[in-house]
Structure formats: structure tokens, C-alpha cells
Amino acid sequence: MEKLVQVKLRESGQVLLYKALGVQAKSGVYVIVEMDRGLDYGHVISDTDGITPDANSDEASAHKPNDDKTQEEPIRKIIRLCGPHDLKQIDDNKIKAKEAYVNCNKKIQEYKLDMKLVGSEYSFDRSKIIFYFTAEGRVDFRDLVKELAKVFKARIELRQIGVRDEARLFGGFGSCGRQLCCNKFLKDFEPVMIKMAKEQGLPLNPPKISGLCGRLMCCLAYEYPTYKELSKGLPKEGECVCTKEGKAKVVSTNVLKRCCQVEYEDGRRITVEYKQETK
């Protein structure tokens, strides 16, 4: 049975499935992969043994990345692991991409387009340049693409991204003091809802529960299942409970410690602990 692995293209590209035919593609290594036209590079973010490459099978679908564009093209293969020469070319491409960024920015100003350029990348074989930009609405950049193709003698792709993608592209540190989750390890963006913050007992103050992108923090989504599981069997704030000393009102709940503080009619407060429910 063939082995499929997830590869994140370049530094800011999509996460796609690739066939690892005879290549020891372990998580974290850089690889050269097939593309529709030419070669590109990426790094393996997860490896999965024994998944059939049949795109219609339930097992394969379960491992497809939830990126902006679901993988609809045929699953291509990994050509080889990156060697010293390949890694040097990748570094050289990053330098050339910075130069391309400056030139593209000048052209955007010349054409007076209402768009903000936020990044650029070369494909491994330098046959294509991807420019990432943000904009309030749709932008007619057809003339810009033609001009850039003449300048760089390569295929040009202008890709509009959202504010969350922009934060992932630039990176940074969140209010927790750690590197942004989207930039460090998250493979894709999951929907984040305000009720997740509410159930985690966080203050519903936008600046305190928003990331650098201005949207709700990604950690609210992937921490939510843990809070939901630990909150089973715990009373909610304002609820009346029976204790050994009589009835009391719940004034606060600590989900992680599985305890709550209750108040009696005479004003006394005590902490009540709850054992975690076992399945």
C-alpha cells in the first residue's frame, strides 16, 4: 500500500497530499515535489502510513488538509529529499523573492491599485512567482500581471489573502508571549466562535480574546474540546447546588481544576471539588 504525506508548499503555500514512493519523508524534512508545471519544494508536516491514494475513499478524505482549496488535482509524488544544493537554491530563491517584492510594490504604485503587497515566493525551479496581497475588495490586476511577467520572465500568480493569513505569513508573538500558533504549527484555520471564549470563562472583551490579526484567537478553537470535556458534570455560575452544609449558589467555576466556589445565604463561601467523569 502506498504512503501519503502532507507537505506544506514553500513557506506560505497550501498543505497538500503527496505520494512518498521510496522516499523516507519524515515530519520536518524538506522535499522536492512535482507540480503542474515544473518542480517546487516544501516541508513534510505529517506522515501517514498505509492510506490509499484513492481520492474518493473515506480514509483518504479524512487526511486531506482543510485549506482554502481542497485538493482536487491528482495526487502527485515527492521527487527527492532536499540535499545541500537544493537547500542553497531555496535560500537563493528567498533573496530573489525579496527583490521581486520591492519591484512589484513599485509597479502597484505606478498602476495606482488599491492593494497591499504582503509577501512573495519563488517556486523551486523559479518558473513561477507568487505574490500575496490584501485588499478591501476585488482588484483588477490583469495589466499588472502582464507587466510583471515581462520583467521577471516567469509565470506570475497574485493571490489575495485575508488578515489571518497575513498574520501567519509575518509571524510574531501573541499575548501569551509565545510564537503565533498559525505561524508555528497550525496546518489550517478552524472556525472560531465567541461562545468558545464564553465557555472557557474568558472576558468577552475583544482586545483580550483577539490575536494580532484582529480576529478571535485560534487557540480558542483547538482548546475548546478540552474545556467542553472537563466541564461535564460541573454546575454553571448562578446555579443552586446541594452541599453537605445545605443549599448554596455557584459564584465561580474553574473548569481546569474541576472545582467551583459556592456561597451560602449567610455569606460564607467554600470551594467544592468535582471528580472528573470517567467514560
Side-chain angles (χ1 to χ4, degrees):
M1 188 174 290
E2 292 178 339
K3 178 181 177 182
L4 301 183
V5 297
Q6 287 184 326
V7 176
K8 182 176 177 62
L9 294 177
R10 301 174 302 282
E11 307 303 322
S12 309
Q14 294 174 275
V15 176
L16 299 176
L17 286 174
Y18 282 89
K19 299 176 185 177
L21 302 176
V23 179
Q24 296 299 317
K26 298 297 181 181
S27 181
V29 302
Y30 275 77
V31 292
I32 304 300
V33 298
E34 284 183 331
M35 289 300 289
D36 53 348
R37 302 180 191 175
L39 301 177
D40 214 331
Y41 77 94
H43 63 276
V44 179
I45 60 174
S46 67
D47 54 86
T48 309
D49 293 305
I51 295 180
T52 173
D54 181 5
N56 297 320
S57 70
D58 294 337
E59 192 176 20
S61 299
H63 289 83
K64 283 187 177 181
N66 296 321
D67 207 67
D68 294 337
K69 298 177 182 178
T70 304
Q71 180 162 333
E72 298 176 351
E73 301 176 355
I75 299 177
R76 297 185 173 85
K77 64 181 180 179
I78 294 174
I79 302 299
R80 63 179 182 272
L81 299 179
C82 283
H85 178 75
D86 297 322
L87 294 175
K88 183 180 183 306
Q89 180 160 328
I90 291 172
D91 289 337
D92 291 342
N93 287 354
K94 291 178 182 178
I95 295 174
K96 290 180 68 67
K98 291 180 180 178
E99 297 172 357
Y101 175 91
V102 173
N103 290 328
C104 182
N105 233 344
K106 291 179 181 178
K107 295 297 180 183
I108 289 174
Q109 293 173 12
E110 287 178 15
Y111 283 88
K112 297 180 180 179
L113 295 175
D114 189 15
M115 56 193 289
K116 175 188 173 184
L117 190 65
V118 296
S120 58
E121 288 184 319
Y122 266 92
S123 63
F124 177 75
D125 57 9
R126 299 178 187 170
S127 62
K128 181 172 73 171
I129 313 175
I130 305 99
F131 293 100
Y132 300 94
F133 73 94
T134 58
E136 291 296 330
R138 296 185 59 129
V139 179
D140 186 357
F141 48 69
R142 288 174 293 182
D143 291 336
L144 174 64
V145 170
K146 293 177 183 177
E147 181 68 20
L148 293 175
K150 291 178 183 178
V151 173
F152 296 109
K153 302 295 190 293
R155 289 169 54 215
I156 304 297
E157 179 180 341
L158 267 71
R159 186 175 298 175
Q160 186 171 358
I161 62 175
V163 290
R164 297 177 78 188
D165 295 288
E166 184 178 3
R168 175 162 61 179
L169 192 65
F170 281 109
F173 294 88
S175 57
C176 59
R178 295 178 177 271
Q179 185 179 343
L180 294 181
C181 299
C182 59
N183 180 256
K184 187 174 182 180
F185 66 87
L186 286 185
K187 300 173 187 175
D188 45 57
F189 292 116
E190 298 290 342
V192 188
M193 295 170 284
I194 195 69
K195 77 169 187 177
M196 295 177 176
K198 188 181 296 184
E199 293 205 20
Q200 292 178 37
L202 296 174
L204 303 182
N205 185 352
K208 292 187 177 181
I209 57 177
S210 300
L212 293 183
C213 60
R215 300 290 190 268
L216 291 173
M217 293 187 293
C218 293
C219 56
L220 295 176
Y222 66 77
E223 291 175 352
Y224 177 66
T226 300
Y227 276 86
K228 194 174 181 180
E229 182 65 28
L230 291 177
S231 64
K232 289 181 179 178
L234 286 179
K236 297 181 179 179
E237 290 186 21
E239 187 177 334
C240 289
V241 295
C242 292
T243 70
K244 294 179 180 179
E245 300 181 36
K247 289 186 177 182
K249 182 180 179 181
V250 177
V251 293
S252 65
T253 302
N254 189 317
V255 176
L256 296 179
K257 292 183 178 180
R258 285 194 59 79
C259 65
C260 62
Q261 191 176 57
V262 300
E263 183 179 58
Y264 294 99
E265 291 184 356
D266 58 6
R268 288 183 302 117
R269 291 190 177 189
I270 65 169
T271 299
V272 181
E273 295 184 355
Y274 290 81
K275 293 182 179 180
Q276 187 170 355
E277 296 181 351
T278 56
K279 294 181 180 180

